[in-house]
Amino acid sequence: MSPAEALCRRREGCRLCGGAGLRKVLSLAPIPLANAFVTREELDSEQPRFPLDVWLCESCGHVQVLDVIDSRVLFEHYVYVSGTSPAFVRHFEHYADYVMSRFAPSAGAFVAEIGSNDGTLLKFFRDRGRRVLGVDPAQEIGEATRRLGIPTITGFFTPGLAESILAQHGHADVIAANNVLAHIDDLDSVMRGVARLLAPSGVLVFEVAYLADLVEKIRFDTIYHEHIDYHSIGPLIPFLASHGLQLIEAIRVDTHGGSVRCVAQCRGGPFPLGASVSAALRLEEEMGLKRPETYVALASRIEKLGKELVTLLRTLAAQGKRIAGFGAPAKATTLMYHLGITPELVEFIVVDSPLKQGRFSPGMHIPVLPAQAIYERRPDYLLILAWNFARPIVEKHAAFAKAGGRFIIPLPSLEVI
Ligand SMILES: [Zn+2]
């Protein structure tokens, strides 16, 4: 078995409804693990690449990646920490306030979070007098979170774990799960655990990147193997119902370039159905999110954008201009592989995160340097790979522009400033 085969397997059947009728609607270039930045010593070992195809379930309309990487490889040494982004911390504070005011969990109520990361959200519930418990597979982050006084179980959330939490803490009045339900292959098992743990009058609140935003804003670069589901409300309703849960809210939020905050309760629970659910269903119907043609159109928008960008980069390179990349988020791996942005076009990449500095980009092995390198090596153009942060990057590096440098923003539409 090759290293790639040992790490990756092809799922059969829709992750939400189990349906066998799956249609491939988008084929992106195979990529290595999108976050696998390598050290100088690792440069000689070839990084396996994995297929990156997107499938539409013909029964329930769920959009998903079927090539699944072993979750232990992806998440046991996860380095992404929510608490480092002030905007994200504020977002979670508002989130906690929303849950407190809308569902009013009693004083001393029990709040559990699946994929609790560094405890950023749970801290707000604890500060509001609620009992909290996190569950997360990331070992190092879990240890740090426990040291901050947020009880955290290191592990994957399963029905067995739900059972032991129930025995120890009782039913959960709130179960939160943010930016995690797109990461889990066995969603059925997670939801069985949720249904077991949730109090009859409790709520499950989760946020996931929203398929409607992906399609509308051409965020195809958010497709990589950490994200195996691209959720929309239509397919989620019957999935939740199959676990005895009723979706009562589906509110669009700005997180990660466009997400949806969903709230579900046990069937027959105390809360009324919000208008946001039917609004989301209407939007999805209008956008044709269950129709294959929608993704054919998306693919041609991606191709057009890619052609424009690569033509620009090649023209600049032919004129002897030097181009560097700014930012090395996981999504840059999808962007670069799919559009064919190779080391011949991008000389080096700069990042603010010390974790990636001194390393080399996944697969293509472009050197990753501290931001200071743009002033020392003085490229002519900076291609902003972390394009959702384009404005703050341009503002922060006004000195680069002042010295004659230009910025290229690849998405949502090509811009040179
Ligand atoms: Zn399905």
Side-chain angles (χ1 to χ4, degrees):
M1 199 188 283
S2 74
E5 285 164 348
L7 287 177
C8 184
R9 59 176 188 81
R10 165 69 58 89
R11 183 190 173 88
E12 284 176 21
C14 168
R15 201 168 281 116
L16 291 191
C17 76
L22 289 150
R23 185 197 280 234
K24 195 193 288 184
V25 287
L26 191 60
S27 244
L28 300 174
I31 55 168
L33 295 180
N35 250 325
F37 289 80
V38 297
T39 60
R40 188 172 293 282
E41 293 70 44
E42 291 165 327
L43 281 178
D44 290 339
S45 51
E46 199 185 322
Q47 290 177 272
R49 287 166 66 187
F50 304 97
L52 192 56
D53 299 321
V54 179
W55 302 72
L56 173 70
C57 173
E58 289 173 330
S59 328
C60 77
H62 183 50
V63 171
Q64 56 206 297
V65 164
L66 296 175
D67 293 286
V68 180
I69 308 285
D70 185 336
S71 58
R72 288 167 304 181
V73 175
L74 292 179
F75 300 114
E76 283 187 351
H77 298 283
Y78 205 48
V79 293
Y80 179 83
V81 180
S82 321
T84 49
S85 152
F88 222 51
V89 174
R90 268 196 310 280
H91 173 76
F92 279 139
E93 183 167 21
H94 295 156
Y95 180 116
D97 286 338
Y98 164 78
V99 172
M100 296 298 287
S101 65
R102 174 84 166 74
F103 305 105
S106 61
F110 175 37
V111 180
E113 187 179 12
I114 302 168
S116 52
N117 194 260
D118 63 352
T120 300
L121 174 66
L122 286 179
K123 188 178 156 295
F124 291 115
F125 282 109
R126 185 195 61 182
D127 294 350
R128 285 156 179 73
R130 272 60 189 174
R131 291 181 293 134
V132 300
L133 177 69
V135 178
D136 198 293
Q139 296 167 5
E140 294 84 357
I141 296 174
E143 266 165 44
T145 310
R146 279 189 291 275
R147 281 199 296 274
L148 293 175
I150 306 282
T152 304
I153 297 172
T154 296
F156 290 97
F157 185 81
T158 58
L161 183 59
E163 205 63 60
S164 77
I165 295 173
L166 181 66
Q168 225 185 331
H169 302 268
H171 283 291
D173 303 287
V174 178
I175 298 178
N178 303 304
N179 310 307
V180 65
L181 293 190
H183 293 187
I184 300 168
D185 186 37
D186 197 350
L187 268 184
D188 216 49
S189 148
V190 168
M191 221 39 80
R192 279 204 310 277
V194 166
R196 183 76 186 99
L197 183 59
L198 193 62
S201 58
V203 282
L204 163 70
V205 188
F206 62 94
E207 286 187 357
V208 282
Y210 192 24
L211 178 65
D213 288 289
L214 185 152
V215 171
E216 189 183 306
K217 300 170 193 163
I218 327 184
R219 297 182 61 92
F220 75 97
D221 56 346
T222 57
I223 299 170
Y224 50 90
H225 298 93
E226 271 176 30
H227 304 155
I228 45 185
D229 286 303
Y230 301 90
H231 285 292
S232 56
I233 300 309
L236 275 172
I237 291 175
F239 171 68
L240 291 165
S242 73
H243 291 279
L245 299 167
Q246 179 201 13
L247 187 75
I248 53 170
E249 292 289 2
I251 301 164
R252 294 180 84 174
V253 291
D254 287 339
T255 326
H256 294 302
S259 300
V260 60
R261 177 183 297 162
C262 298
V263 183
Q265 66 179 354
C266 298
R267 195 179 293 126
F271 301 104
L273 175 66
S276 59
V277 175
S278 52
L281 289 174
R282 262 196 316 277
L283 171 81
E284 292 173 11
E285 181 65 36
E286 276 164 27
M287 290 185 72
L289 293 186
K290 288 187 178 176
R291 288 202 305 266
E293 309 85 77
T294 303
Y295 304 93
V296 174
L298 175 66
S300 66
R301 284 157 76 205
I302 296 169
E303 198 185 323
K304 180 168 171 285
L305 237 146
K307 264 192 192 141
E308 277 172 24
L309 176 63
V310 171
T311 305
L312 171 69
L313 297 179
R314 285 200 185 128
T315 308
L316 292 172
Q319 292 165 358
K321 303 289 187 198
R322 293 169 52 230
I323 304 158
F326 200 110
K331 61 176 184 261
T333 305
T334 299
L335 184 87
M336 296 178 81
Y337 270 90
H338 189 65
L339 303 187
I341 302 170
T342 58
E344 287 71 45
L345 296 173
V346 173
E347 197 178 306
F348 61 94
I349 295 170
V350 297
V351 291
D352 288 324
S353 158
L355 285 171
K356 290 176 181 169
Q357 290 169 4
R359 293 185 171 241
F360 296 82
S361 73
M364 290 192 189
H365 296 167
I366 300 174
V368 180
L369 306 170
Q372 190 51 31
I374 51 184
Y375 301 101
E376 292 160 7
R377 300 195 176 196
R378 305 170 63 115
D380 301 289
Y381 286 81
L382 276 181
L383 170 64
I384 303 186
L385 297 164
W387 57 268
N388 46 327
F389 296 112
R391 298 297 154 199
I393 289 169
V394 169
E395 279 165 27
K396 192 172 170 189
H397 294 281
F400 169 74
K402 211 165 170 212
R406 312 275 307 266
F407 295 95
I408 303 169
I409 303 171
L411 284 167
S413 58
L414 182 61
E415 223 185 315
V416 181
I417 52 173

